[in-house]
Amino acid sequence: MTETPVETTELKAQYSAQVTADLERNTKEQDRLLGEIDALQEQLSTLQQDHAILVNIQQALGIVTPEPTASAEDAAAASVPQPKTGTAPRVGKQTRPRKTTSPQDSKQTKAKANTKKNAAKTAAPKQTAQPTLVELIRRHLTEQSEPRSAAEVAAALTQAHPDRRIQTNVVRTTLEGLVAKSNAQRVKQGSSVYYTSHDASESPATAPSVPDSEEVNG
């Protein structure tokens, strides 16, 4: 039974309407997913900025972070055996003859290993741990005869340690942490804030007479 031209035209119209509707749904779904991707990227960027700030504060406070442990997903993935990709059966399993070692050979092997280990220890340079930012700030305040602002402390430490990246806002946060722990004193004069060692003999009245350009709000 052959189709008439009228039936063919109706079928084309139905298919065309169906394809148009599918295209509209596809386009809307793409727009929705693109909007979610943009929102997720913005959230990720914000989290990354917060993470950088928290890491700087953590370093300033001298907090040592433990090494990350393997996650449960990694452990589960490691426990699942990998599927075998080889399809061809092995003709035969070839076994290698075991190499027997005498006690004398074992002693020589251990002696060589100990010699290499001792040589590596001797050749390795001794690495001294660098002082934390908290230690540097406390040492700097102790050596000063007058209170210093956060900007002055940051500039002095940057000049003394050019290999370290020292930021004024991190120094200010560290100084406030020392004040909270009674390891430093805060001296306020006008709109400027100065810091001095807790053990310094100078009183708050010995702050510089000329206000520093460093203000409380940074």
Side-chain angles (χ1 to χ4, degrees):
M1 180 177 182
T2 58
E3 295 181 354
T4 62
V6 176
E7 292 177 349
T8 303
T9 304
E10 290 179 354
L11 287 175
K12 288 183 178 179
Q14 292 178 0
Y15 287 144
S16 178
Q18 183 65 33
V19 170
T20 302
D22 291 341
L23 284 174
E24 290 180 357
R25 283 195 297 270
N26 186 285
T27 304
K28 291 180 180 180
E29 186 67 15
Q30 289 185 25
D31 294 339
R32 184 183 66 82
L33 292 177
L34 288 174
E36 292 181 358
I37 291 173
D38 293 338
L40 291 174
Q41 287 179 347
E42 185 176 356
Q43 293 178 7
L44 177 61
S45 178
T46 302
L47 290 174
Q48 289 175 345
Q49 294 176 0
D50 294 342
H51 181 271
I53 295 174
L54 291 174
V55 168
N56 290 333
I57 296 176
Q58 188 181 58
Q59 293 177 354
L61 296 177
I63 300 175
V64 179
T65 57
E67 295 183 357
T69 57
S71 61
E73 294 181 359
D74 296 337
S79 62
V80 176
Q82 297 293 333
K84 296 181 180 180
T85 56
T87 56
R90 295 182 179 180
V91 177
K93 186 177 181 181
Q94 299 178 356
T95 58
R96 296 182 179 180
R98 295 182 178 179
K99 184 179 179 181
T100 59
T101 57
S102 62
Q104 185 176 0
D105 294 338
S106 300
K107 291 181 180 180
Q108 292 179 355
T109 303
K110 291 181 179 179
K112 290 181 180 179
N114 292 332
T115 303
K116 291 182 180 180
K117 187 184 295 184
N118 294 333
K121 290 182 179 179
T122 305
K126 296 182 179 179
Q127 297 181 355
T128 57
Q130 293 185 354
T132 62
L133 183 61
V134 177
E135 295 175 354
L136 293 178
I137 292 176
R138 292 184 61 182
R139 189 184 307 169
H140 178 74
L141 292 179
T142 304
E143 295 173 353
Q144 302 304 313
S145 59
E146 295 181 355
R148 300 295 180 185
S149 65
E152 291 174 339
V153 175
L157 294 180
T158 300
Q159 185 176 3
H161 304 276
D163 57 330
R164 301 185 64 164
R165 184 181 179 185
I166 300 176
Q167 299 179 357
T168 304
N169 58 344
V170 179
V171 171
R172 183 182 297 104
T173 303
T174 306
L175 287 168
E176 291 296 332
L178 292 174
V179 172
K181 295 179 181 179
S182 300
N183 292 326
Q185 292 181 350
R186 185 194 297 110
V187 181
K188 187 174 182 181
Q189 184 178 11
S191 60
S192 299
V193 175
Y194 302 90
Y195 301 90
T196 182
S197 175
H198 185 71
D199 299 331
S201 59
E202 288 79 10
S203 61
T206 59
S209 59
V210 179
D212 188 77
S213 60
E214 179 69 17
E215 296 183 357
V216 180
N217 57 4

